[in-house]
Amino acid sequence: MSDIYFGTYARFATASKKDAGRLLGSDSLVGDVFEIEFQTEEGQRLAWLKNRFGALVGFFDASVSRRLSLFEARGWKLQTLLSFVAYSESAEGGYYWGEAVLLCYDPASEEGSDAFDAFTAKVADCMSEGVRPDVELGEAEIAKVLDSKGDWLPTKRVSLPEKKQGTAIIKARRNLSEKIINYARNNNKGCSLLSWVALLALVAGIIFGLKSCGVF
């Protein structure tokens, strides 16, 4: 069964601080599913992450890109989910980087493809809350994904990389405003966003009133 699925966490880099800006904004949320787009520069073929708005926001190194190229040649479906974005200082200046989950699988079987699509959605939901499930599945775990039609997640978690001096994690989960933005995206209705804004304004008013009364 390992011949039909591959999953792991992989580090990516950004080409410039301008590119990193697309990662820091609401166009690229933690847990978003990105496409993989291959580009060849100076004879090297690299896999880039492309967000839902078509922007290329980062790229994987040659080793990861080579493996993804092999899966592409097999006709596999390639997906990557944003896990976190970090900033590091260096002697040459600061730079942005991050990690993403790679989920690649054989879509030849309609049942298997549907199961892995559902599994990807569950992983995305976890990651939006800052939870990093272990996606390096063995044959027994892959069987659970297929048997449950994707309605299963591993209990094992993957920790964030050890924090090094001069490095800060900028985003590793969705905050409240990003959840509202995603809700509005998915419903595609202006009234939905306005309802959330009104609700938040009401809650803020209540809290302010309680503070004025000395409750807080």
Side-chain angles (χ1 to χ4, degrees):
M1 288 188 182
S2 59
D3 291 335
I4 64 171
Y5 168 87
F6 171 81
T8 192
Y9 286 80
R11 176 168 172 156
F12 65 85
T14 58
S16 67
K17 289 185 177 180
K18 180 180 179 181
D19 292 318
R22 300 188 183 100
L23 280 170
L24 301 178
S26 59
D27 285 356
S28 302
L29 303 181
V30 173
D32 272 359
V33 180
F34 290 67
E35 293 181 33
I36 294 292
E37 181 170 309
F38 292 95
Q39 293 201 352
T40 301
E41 297 179 12
E42 298 180 355
Q44 190 173 47
R45 190 171 191 252
L46 296 179
W48 285 75
L49 299 89
K50 184 166 73 173
N51 69 14
R52 68 170 73 192
F53 300 102
L56 299 177
V57 297
F59 59 92
F60 296 107
D61 65 20
S63 176
V64 173
S65 297
R66 193 177 306 113
R67 171 165 259 183
L68 290 173
S69 292
L70 293 174
F71 292 140
E72 182 196 42
R74 294 185 192 176
W76 282 25
K77 185 172 183 176
L78 312 180
Q79 295 191 111
T80 183
L81 287 66
L82 183 62
S83 175
F84 71 81
V85 181
Y87 177 81
S88 294
E89 287 285 357
S90 69
E92 295 76 22
Y95 62 94
Y96 291 90
W97 59 281
E99 273 192 1
V101 167
L102 298 176
L103 297 177
C104 310
Y105 42 90
D106 186 354
S109 166
E110 182 176 346
E111 182 178 348
S113 180
D114 290 344
F116 286 122
D117 284 345
F119 176 72
T120 298
K122 290 185 72 70
V123 172
D125 286 341
C126 278
M127 298 188 69
S128 70
E129 297 295 334
V131 178
R132 289 162 47 99
D134 186 355
V135 297
E136 294 189 14
L137 309 181
E139 292 195 4
E141 289 80 14
I142 293 173
K144 289 179 181 179
V145 173
L146 296 175
D147 292 342
S148 67
K149 294 181 170 51
D151 190 25
W152 174 86
L153 278 174
T155 56
K156 186 177 178 182
R157 302 293 181 244
V158 176
S159 301
L160 289 169
E162 183 179 351
K163 188 176 179 181
K164 297 181 179 180
Q165 186 174 2
T167 293
I169 303 295
I170 305 300
K171 57 193 293 186
R173 63 186 304 161
R174 293 181 190 176
N175 57 36
L176 181 58
S177 63
E178 289 174 333
K179 290 178 181 179
I180 294 172
I181 289 169
N182 190 62
Y183 178 83
R185 280 182 188 167
N186 293 336
N187 286 273
N188 199 26
K189 297 177 182 177
C191 59
S192 299
L193 181 57
L194 291 175
S195 298
W196 273 96
V197 171
L199 177 59
L200 289 174
L202 176 62
V203 172
I206 293 172
I207 293 174
F208 179 79
L210 293 174
K211 283 184 176 180
S212 299
C213 295
V215 175
F216 291 140

